[in-house]
Amino acid sequence: INAEYGDDYLSMMDNQRRMRLVSGLLAITGACCLSHMAASDGMVSWSGRVQKVGGNVSFDWLGVAARVTVVNATWVSAQFQTDRVRGTRMKAYLSDQGWMLYPAVQFWVSTLSSSPQLLMTSPNPRTSTITLENLVAPQYGTGVTTVLGFNTDGVFLPTATPTRRIEFVGDSITAATNVVRPRGAPHCGDAGYQSDWSQTYEALLCHRFDADCSTVAVGGKCVMKECGGLQMPNYFLGEFYKDAPSRTYDFSQVAVHVGLRSSQVVLPTGAYESAMLTY
């Protein structure tokens, strides 16, 4: 593993084990002060294509993000579910850390652990927002990730929903392929270990514009249906990557505003879907 993926990967895995140990200790010692919030609670601000069932939120497209606001918290954790031994990789950071938003935690979602994943562990009496992002494209076998809920020893507060919404559709450069390829890597293969949506152009734009972003991208695919086979116009239709070529995403919830703010025109329902597929 060290030869193929570098020291950064091993350091991340060591950090993940330490965070799980602390999480277990908190579960034992902090149960009296625990506050729980379901992943689908309206106080959580979700970005990207997600499916909400009961209190859970599921997704597989990269760039899906959840923002959770807490006050008087020394730790925040999240409970995940997946059917993969090596699911997706996620990054959590405090939104008030300052740019470049260095991560507090980076971890893999896996069936090997059902313990809550710690997202923040520093004493913080202020009101803070923790951002949780999916870094890896589903084409690398990450499966569907489900967030069951969030826990804290503080108090959850409503998180403001971004006023802008941006959707990116593309191939490997949009899918964050090889964004963090370590020095000395023997080849350009990614397999998800070298993906990192948070360092892509679209992620930078999303953070700069404080936008609700959706990234529908698959490496090696064309953005034109004329290429033959399953291409981005097919994947674009799905709520999940695995759904292609079925149309499972509800485009009626997408409203496109054209023009200046003072004289905007709202396109009819379905216009966005039609225009994308025609293009």
Side-chain angles (χ1 to χ4, degrees):
I1 293 176
N2 187 42
E4 186 170 359
Y5 304 115
D7 293 334
D8 289 344
Y9 172 74
L10 294 178
S11 297
M12 182 182 69
M13 295 301 289
D14 287 340
N15 180 61
Q16 183 174 348
R17 285 191 288 269
R18 287 194 297 270
M19 297 298 281
R20 281 177 176 162
L21 175 60
V22 176
S23 179
L25 292 173
L26 286 172
I28 296 171
T29 62
C32 65
C33 309
L34 183 69
S35 295
H36 175 77
M37 178 172 63
S40 63
D41 194 289
M43 292 197 293
V44 183
S45 175
W46 283 96
S47 296
R49 296 189 179 186
V50 300
Q51 183 183 81
K52 297 181 179 181
V53 178
N56 304 335
V57 176
S58 300
F59 55 87
D60 66 358
W61 290 113
L62 78 167
V64 168
R67 298 175 183 85
V68 177
T69 302
V70 292
V71 64
N72 294 328
T74 61
W75 59 270
V76 176
S77 69
Q79 187 84 29
F80 296 89
Q81 192 174 75
T82 182
D83 61 353
R84 305 300 170 97
V85 173
R86 195 218 72 177
T88 194
R89 193 169 84 255
M90 304 200 74
K91 179 179 286 188
Y93 50 81
L94 291 175
S95 299
D96 56 7
Q97 284 181 228
W99 201 256
M100 287 288 288
L101 295 175
Y102 291 105
V105 180
Q106 191 171 160
F107 59 93
W108 291 93
V109 178
S110 172
T111 55
L112 297 178
S113 175
S114 59
S115 301
Q117 171 64 48
L118 218 55
L119 308 181
M120 181 194 77
T121 57
S122 57
N124 194 347
R126 308 186 311 275
T127 299
S128 302
T129 298
I130 295 90
T131 299
L132 180 69
E133 291 178 343
N134 184 29
L135 306 183
V136 184
Q139 72 190 88
Y140 296 120
T142 57
V144 173
T145 302
T146 299
V147 181
L148 307 180
F150 300 91
N151 300 311
T152 185
D153 62 343
V155 177
F156 289 112
L157 299 175
T159 302
T161 300
T163 56
R164 296 184 178 92
R165 183 171 186 181
I166 306 173
E167 182 155 88
F168 300 92
V169 181
D171 54 15
S172 57
I173 191 171
T174 311
T177 302
N178 281 313
V179 170
V180 290
R181 183 169 180 249
R183 182 180 301 175
H187 52 77
C188 290
D190 189 317
Y193 291 98
Q194 295 160 204
S195 301
D196 190 339
W197 180 86
S198 68
Q199 298 186 48
T200 60
Y201 290 118
E202 60 265 25
L204 297 177
L205 286 170
C206 290
H207 289 302
R208 293 292 191 181
F209 287 117
D210 188 27
D212 171 353
C213 287
S214 174
T215 303
V216 180
V218 182
K221 297 297 182 178
C222 297
V223 295
M224 300 173 294
K225 57 190 176 187
E226 286 79 7
C227 291
L230 287 179
Q231 302 298 338
M232 289 317 302
N234 305 112
Y235 289 102
F236 172 75
L237 295 174
E239 188 168 43
F240 296 99
Y241 164 81
K242 64 182 180 63
D243 294 342
S246 300
R247 183 189 184 279
T248 57
Y249 184 65
D250 182 9
F251 288 94
S252 66
Q253 62 183 300
V254 180
V256 180
H257 298 253
V258 180
L260 299 175
R261 181 171 297 180
S262 59
S263 57
Q264 280 191 346
V265 175
V266 181
L267 299 183
T269 299
Y272 172 63
E273 176 189 6
S274 175
M276 175 59 197
L277 295 179
T278 301
Y279 170 80

